[in-house]
Amino acid sequence: MKKIIMLLIVAAVALVFALDLHSLLTLESLKGSLDQFRGFQAESPWLVGGMFFAAYVVVTAFSIPGAAVMTLAAGALFGLLQGLVLVSFASTLGATLAFVGARYLLRDSVQAKFGNRLKAINEGVEREGAFYLFTLRLVPVFPFFLINLLMGLTSMKAFTFFWVSQIGMLAGTVVYVNAGTELAKIDSLSGILSPGLILSFVLLGVFPLIAKKVTDKIKARKVYAQWTKPSKFDRNMIVIGAGAAGLVSSYIAAAVKAKVTLVEAHKIGGDCLNFGCVPSKALIKSAKLAHQMRHADKYGLHATTPGFSFKAVMARVHDIIKAIEPHDSVERYTGLGVDVVQGYATIVDPWTVEIKHNTGETSRLTARSIVIAAGASPVVPNLPGIETSGYLTSDTLWDEFAKREELPKRLVVLGGGPIGSELAQAFSRLGSQVTQVELGERIMVREDPEISEMAMASMRADGVNILTQHKAVRFERRGEQKVLVTEHLGNTVEIEFDDVICAVGRKARLTGYGLEALGVETNRTVVTNEYLETLYPNIFAAGDVAGPYQFTHVAAHQAWYASVNALFGQFKKFKADYSVIPWATFTDPEVARVGLNEQDAKEQNIAYEVTRYGIDDLDRAIADSDAHGVVKVLTVPGKDKILGVTIAGVHAGDLLAEFVLAMKHGLGLNKILGTIHTYPTLAEANKYAAGEWKRAHAPEKVLVWLGKYHAWRLG
């Protein structure tokens, strides 16, 4: 149906030009026919008015050149007031019809093809579309017909488009209709818009930008109305939380010579150093070495069962934390110029933070801006009996296991996400009998099914008993025996265990910081705008507490925006950029990703091509006996533009960096293919993946002719 309508529209417009009807909509034609039109108007004023209105609607709806001339005609025929009313409503109605037509005929296909690139535009239109449309309508330099069609491709509501267009086009309509009342004096359309008048329109277009600034000031004044702002401040910035986001925020502030205080209630370095990234990777390394010893025959050596002290393994984990601690220590940041305070911070008003020091005393500091970087904590499911199960989390297991002499014998890991999968495989490789319980159909559900299947196959080969589609129901204690009761496809399944780790996700730390009393909105995270501002423009949030990603590198990335906007926002604000976000799960094989994978592309209706390169074919991987995995690249159909990359294999997280760089700076697969990669390295996998794409897009017809050319050259 859409194709038929499109053909009819194209045919109608073509007919207009074929019959030279558009020549009637020129200034010369209008001047020559004006007396005749006035004669018709004198005989049938209502009929002429109605026909003019209908014709104007058709011209604007079909984007036929000539609307400006018709606006002049309105002034000449009907005078300023009546002409203004006719044109104002006819132009808005026609524009809205063009808008609706573009939406019906083109939006679905355009969004399907370019949805990923249009996502930011759609979100911007949803937030401030009326404002930007109004600005464009005020400046007649922008072709109105183009605005009609392009806005139809966005998510703007038709009613919003109608009323904003009605108001926004009014100023330009007045100018043209008024000019039409003196049609005889006009020699060309360009004569209407003198340089002075165009400048006036441009200034008028800038006016909403100024108005928005003023509006923001008024909103801020309203938000702050109940509070008394200090006449002077103790600090330029106070940062709450010394994890990745807090450390980077305070570092940047100190680097630009701002006076900054960093408040941390627990351990400097946050979750990543003390409970997450660092200790888990240290454990994974020990587990991998134990695994390699058991499979040393792969390398021509005698396989052996590793003998080790679990206490020594955990001691190594804590030694590594201590070795990295100086990078995030109080001493280092004090040396950089940061005032580091160990205590619990509560925001008592938009500029004041009360600190309960770990020493017992209480103090208050004022600051122009505050950055909340409180991080996140593990989710503990509300299951009957869990409090008596002796459950551990990724935060508590390190200290608990450091006290143990023996490895946990029977370990249950609740959750099939990255944390649960990493811990399950590591403890299984060390020798624990591990059962991983996942509610969904597979673990690592954010990855493509083939990737999570690859991870599951490897983990099962390492001895992990992965139970998918198992719902944890309750914990029970039967004497000394601990049991997890689960439900699987309507049947009860009981799992005996000695220890259980809850790894079902992490939640932002939202309570206890004074947000409730201030009225700062929270919805699983602290609600911020694109500048990471909360309800109060001087209070920012960054890291896990702000979302939408719970990665250390994203927290550091957000910290730049939060701190720079906090310190220099009065001059220039920067919107946080999440366009290229990489992440990795450090199972074996590692799984690393940036951008879209196939399931994301399908959910978002984004067209894509897939190129695969099997790492089993890579020389270095074969030499290392690590020849397993895949590099999987999604590109725009027919082009080398990268939409996303997933790598499963040894050192996948490191290999991904080249693709992250390429996506960030708009480099395609041809550039990667044309880059020299050291031989023999794992990084060659990226080049070979690009080569696979190139082979799939080889110009076959050109190659046929080249073959003929070279045959001719043989004589």
Side-chain angles (χ1 to χ4, degrees), residues 7-232:
L7 288 172
L8 289 174
I9 291 173
V10 171
V13 174
L15 188 63
V16 168
F17 284 92
L19 298 177
D20 203 26
L21 297 178
H22 67 288
S23 64
L24 299 175
L25 300 176
T26 62
L27 187 60
E28 294 75 13
S29 176
L30 174 60
K31 282 187 171 185
S33 307
L34 189 58
D35 292 337
Q36 188 177 1
F37 283 134
R38 282 174 175 163
F40 291 147
Q41 183 187 21
E43 294 177 7
S44 306
W46 287 100
L47 179 61
V48 170
M51 290 177 65
F52 179 89
F53 185 90
Y56 202 110
V57 170
V58 169
V59 166
T60 50
F62 284 88
S63 304
I64 298 171
V69 173
M70 290 194 71
T71 308
L72 292 175
L77 285 171
F78 306 105
L80 178 59
L81 183 59
Q82 187 180 352
L84 178 62
V85 172
L86 281 172
V87 172
S88 180
F89 284 96
S91 61
T92 304
L93 180 58
T96 305
L97 288 174
F99 168 91
V100 172
R103 169 160 296 177
Y104 175 71
L105 297 171
L106 301 172
R107 187 175 68 167
D108 290 346
S109 58
V110 171
Q111 290 288 348
K113 191 170 183 179
F114 305 105
N116 193 41
R117 279 177 276 181
L118 294 174
K119 184 179 179 182
I121 296 174
N122 290 332
E123 291 174 352
V125 166
E126 192 171 335
R127 287 193 307 270
E128 296 182 326
F131 167 74
Y132 288 113
L133 175 60
F134 181 63
T135 303
L136 291 171
R137 289 299 196 198
L138 285 175
V139 186
V141 172
F142 298 105
F144 281 5
F145 80 91
L146 196 57
I147 296 171
N148 303 337
L149 300 178
L150 293 178
M151 285 294 174
L153 304 179
T154 70
S155 56
M156 178 177 285
K157 294 180 180 179
F159 179 71
T160 301
F161 178 85
F162 181 90
W163 72 260
V164 172
S165 296
Q166 181 78 48
I167 297 170
M169 291 191 292
L170 193 59
T173 303
V174 169
V175 171
Y176 273 86
V177 173
N178 183 62
T181 60
E182 299 186 47
L183 187 63
K185 298 179 182 179
I186 299 174
D187 295 321
S188 68
L189 291 176
S190 61
I192 301 169
L193 293 179
S194 63
L197 189 56
I198 290 177
L199 179 61
S200 300
F201 274 124
V202 170
L203 292 175
L204 195 59
V206 173
F207 172 75
L209 299 172
I210 300 170
K212 187 176 186 299
K213 289 284 186 183
V214 174
T215 301
D216 289 344
K217 289 286 186 184
I218 294 171
K219 284 181 181 177
R221 186 181 292 274
K222 186 177 180 181
V223 167
Y224 292 120
Q226 61 179 307
W227 310 102
T228 302
K229 186 176 181 179
S231 57
K232 63 179 184 177

Side-chain angles (χ1 to χ4, degrees), residues 609 611 635-639 692-700:
E609 287 183 4
T611 300
T635 52
V636 174
K639 298 182 180 179
E692 290 294 319
W693 178 89
K694 192 70 172 179
R695 274 190 289 276
H697 294 82
E700 297 297 338

